[in-house]
Amino acid sequence: MSPTAAGSCAPPAAVLCGLAGLVPSRVVTNEHLARRLDTSDAWIRTRTGIRQRHVIDPGQATSDLAVEAGRRALASASAAVDGVDAVVVATTTPDHICPATAPAVAARLGLAGAAAFDVGAVCTGFVYGLASAAGLIAARVAERVLLIGADTYSTIVDPLDRANAIIFGDGAGAVVLRAGHPDEPGAVGHFDLGSDGGQEDLIRVAAGGSRQRSSPGQPGRGERHFAMRGKEVYRHAVTRMAESARATLSRAGWKTDDVDHFVPHQANLRILHSVADDLGLPRERCVTHVESVGNTGAASIPLALADAADSQVLKPGDRLLLTAFGGGLTWGSCLLTWPMLPRPERTTP
Ligand code: COA
């Protein structure tokens, strides 16, 4: 544990000290989709802002992306920490229903023996994962945590479903957090987390769990695919993200104007701009990369951070607001001041 944290009675804070992300090399453009679906580049761009997404190859799985993102994040943190005590993977597309993906990821990273578990909060998974990692550090259960957001929606979205196939892409992003002082740059804090399970049917894979069991020939193919009621999700996403962002700023005593960069879950460009407008934040302060990778689920915030850090949009001392929304419904936000980090490897191949 760092001397600052060890020397104080206050619980240690989780401090960001490593960052990385990557998307698979295979690109699916809007034009590719328009060849097999009744859609068009113009429709997709106008409704979502997305131009292309990246997808894994047959035979690849979520853990393959998670391991590479984790390896890169550990390398980026190597000046600050040597190894980690816990590995947390936020995902909606685990390699298997049982066991969790995190232990396998830990083992493949040479971290067997570390605590390892998955967080399931759909597209809010990374923010829930940050809160879990911060909790492990505050409770002195772990001093260093590797948190990975990784999703491969291409494995659960029906490729013939034009409403959803246009939105999602595959990817992974990872951060390393170490015990430190709440006032140092990189300390994550002032969280807001929430949920509304009364709306669970708005985003769902109906079958394959205990409620609707999988057995050969039954249930129908469609029920094993991702389903979303897009219009209603859109409305909830804008409202919940804006409310969560406001609650978090108010807890920290920050004004909207104190936020240098708003880094939202990359759901859809129109949603992100509506939330920024609702908060009174100039759209230029909203970090977006959904145009080139689509909605990458739990990977989207760390991937957006890695892209923005690589292009030097984020500078040490900048104040960031992270806000996410996803199935559940779930939502969450957190604040941090950007630390000095090594420039991450490029997220695109
Ligand atoms: N290409 C062309 N037309 C399409 C289409 C596509 N890919 N997908 C749907 N349509 C059609 C619909 O069939 C409908 O046709 P109809 O009027 O003849 O019935 C029409 O376009 C409008 O559909 P609708 O679903 O009302 O469109 P929309 O403006 O709500 O946009 C989404 C659809 C999915 C882009 C939008 O609802 C959305 O972005 N929702 C949020 C999704 C999201 O970001 N989820 C992640 C949250 S974590």
Side-chain angles (χ1 to χ4, degrees):
M1 188 173 294
S2 72
T4 339
S8 151
C9 303
V15 177
L16 182 70
C17 63
L19 169 69
L22 82 151
V23 289
S25 54
R26 188 144 66 97
V27 175
V28 176
T29 63
N30 293 347
E31 287 80 7
H32 288 138
L33 291 176
R35 275 179 225 145
R36 64 175 155 87
L37 296 171
D38 180 14
T39 190
S40 66
D41 175 49
W43 196 95
I44 301 170
R45 280 197 202 221
T46 316
R47 306 287 174 124
T48 70
I50 298 166
R51 205 163 33 81
Q52 62 173 44
R53 66 289 294 143
H54 294 249
V55 298
I56 55 171
D57 288 319
Q60 280 189 299
T62 297
S63 65
D64 299 327
L65 297 182
V67 166
E68 181 54 19
R71 185 194 64 73
R72 292 181 183 195
L74 289 167
S76 135
S78 60
V81 296
D82 178 17
V84 294
D85 317 300
V87 176
V88 181
V89 175
T91 186
T92 304
T93 51
D95 285 12
H96 310 285
I97 283 189
C98 170
T101 300
V105 169
R108 287 169 63 188
L109 287 168
L111 297 167
F117 62 93
D118 289 1
V119 167
V122 196
C123 295
T124 318
F126 183 75
V127 175
Y128 268 69
L130 270 182
S132 307
L136 290 174
I137 288 173
R140 296 185 163 87
V141 172
E143 293 178 3
R144 305 148 307 170
V145 180
L146 171 63
L147 167 63
I148 306 171
D151 266 317
T152 55
Y153 273 84
S154 67
T155 62
I156 56 169
V157 169
D158 180 350
L160 299 178
D161 172 5
R162 69 175 179 170
N164 289 313
I166 61 162
I167 292 175
F168 292 94
D170 300 340
V175 294
V176 178
L177 300 148
R178 63 162 173 84
H181 195 278
D183 293 335
E184 64 179 303
V188 297
H190 296 289
F191 282 94
D192 171 70
L193 300 178
S195 76
D196 178 6
Q199 308 287 339
E200 65 159 359
D201 56 335
L202 295 189
I203 296 177
R204 183 152 75 183
V205 177
S210 58
R211 174 70 61 200
Q212 203 170 328
R213 302 170 199 186
S214 294
S215 57
Q218 210 187 38
R221 191 176 141 79
E223 293 170 304
R224 285 198 296 271
H225 280 132
F226 177 89
M228 175 167 66
R229 304 225 299 267
K231 243 189 206 334
E232 286 154 272
V233 168
Y234 189 107
R235 198 167 41 80
H236 282 286
V238 173
T239 310
R240 295 301 192 180
M241 287 174 82
E243 282 173 0
S244 178
R246 274 205 188 86
T248 313
L249 291 175
S250 142
R251 257 168 228 164
W254 288 20
K255 304 252 176 307
T256 302
D257 217 33
D258 294 329
V259 176
D260 296 305
H261 305 286
F262 174 46
V263 189
H265 162 55
Q266 307 284 306
N268 162 333
L269 199 59
R270 283 163 63 215
I271 292 179
L272 309 191
H273 284 163
S274 298
V275 177
D277 293 351
D278 190 313
L279 293 172
L281 263 169
R283 288 184 180 181
E284 313 80 75
R285 291 197 213 163
C286 181
V287 171
T288 63
H289 74 149
V290 67
E291 303 90 334
S292 53
V293 298
N295 178 341
T296 56
S300 87
I301 288 183
L303 261 177
L305 289 173
D307 257 357
D310 174 42
S311 51
Q312 296 180 312
V313 168
L314 305 180
K315 301 197 178 49
D318 284 353
R319 305 222 265 179
L320 272 63
L321 164 64
L322 317 181
T323 299
F325 171 86
L329 300 176
T330 53
W331 56 86
S333 300
C334 114
L335 301 175
L336 79 154
T337 301
W338 197 245
M340 181 75 85
L341 289 180
R343 197 167 164 178
E345 283 180 52
R346 285 182 59 85
T347 61
T348 45

